[in-house]
Amino acid sequence: MSCIKDWPAADRPREKLLLSGPAALSDTELLALILRTGHANGGASAIDLSRTLLGRFGSLRALTSAAASELCQVPGIGPAKAAEILALGELARRFAATPLSPGSRFTSSHQVFAHFHERLRDRKKEVFLSLLLDSKNRVIREIQVSEGSLNASIVHPREVFQPVVRESAAAVLFVHNHPSGDPTPSREDLELTARLREAGVLMGIRVLDHIIIGNGRYISMADQGEFG
């Protein structure tokens, strides 16, 4: 198999990108630019390695969401290349997320979904987040309360409300993901939401919503009438 440097200039991924723009490159060619070199022993090019990776994982999204240990099982991928692939995926997710900064104001559950979807949709574990808000529903800060097992996240009201009280937040909004991709609330989700709402009432803190994010979909407890 010939090296990429031996190809005609117009066919080399780097030169092709500079000549025609990144949109002209296939997923395989773009990935090859990130990997730069193929197998350490020569044999295959970065293009070959990219084809192998995409063939094994099925898509760029699945590839960049894999564990480092899974990537390292592919011949030619060591810790350094695995780190590059995972960094690429995380950069893409952060770039795709709707910007949210202190002082931002939420006006709908869809706005919350738009911000967190790319960041949470591929997580292998449930992550439970609290968004602390002021009296005008403007963001004070985001808190990660817990990261659970593959199927469940253990959340205690005391852990949730300690930072809320510390930051003197007037309201709070909860977000978590379902690794299955199906955002339908489980019985545990409903019970947890009820407990957190009750705790909020006792402490004089408004619990505005609990939003569950899946793959391309979300459920808002408030929109579904769970908040009365």
Side-chain angles (χ1 to χ4, degrees), residues 71-215:
L71 295 173
C72 289
Q73 291 175 10
V74 178
I77 297 295
K81 279 190 171 60
E84 290 170 354
I85 292 168
L86 297 179
L88 171 66
E90 183 59 24
L91 279 172
R93 283 185 283 274
R94 293 186 186 188
F95 183 79
T98 302
L100 178 66
S101 57
S104 299
R105 187 174 184 274
F106 285 110
T107 58
S108 69
S109 58
H110 189 270
Q111 185 183 0
V112 179
F113 168 72
H115 175 71
F116 287 103
H117 179 231
E118 286 297 327
R119 179 171 147 198
L120 296 180
R121 67 185 293 179
D122 295 321
R123 297 291 289 267
K124 300 295 190 295
K125 297 180 180 180
E126 287 195 11
V127 177
F128 191 95
L129 305 172
S130 295
L131 291 179
L132 281 53
L133 311 173
D134 65 14
S135 59
K136 295 183 178 180
N137 294 347
R138 294 175 300 197
V139 176
I140 298 174
R141 64 178 300 196
E142 171 194 315
I143 302 286
Q144 179 172 316
V145 177
S146 73
E147 182 172 350
S149 66
L150 185 64
N151 297 314
S153 183
I154 301 173
V155 178
H156 297 288
R158 66 176 178 272
E159 296 171 346
V160 172
F161 284 97
Q162 280 177 354
V164 179
V165 173
R166 186 171 60 246
E167 299 286 343
S168 300
V172 64
L173 188 154
F174 305 121
V175 180
H176 88 275
N177 63 303
H178 277 182
S180 67
D182 180 359
T184 303
S186 65
R187 178 175 56 84
E188 291 80 8
D189 291 334
L190 297 172
E191 291 174 352
L192 172 62
T193 302
R195 289 202 307 273
L196 294 175
R197 286 195 67 210
E198 291 169 2
V201 169
L202 290 173
M203 302 179 72
I205 296 168
R206 292 178 293 124
V207 176
L208 300 182
D209 203 348
H210 181 183
I211 295 170
I212 304 173
I213 293 178
N215 187 358

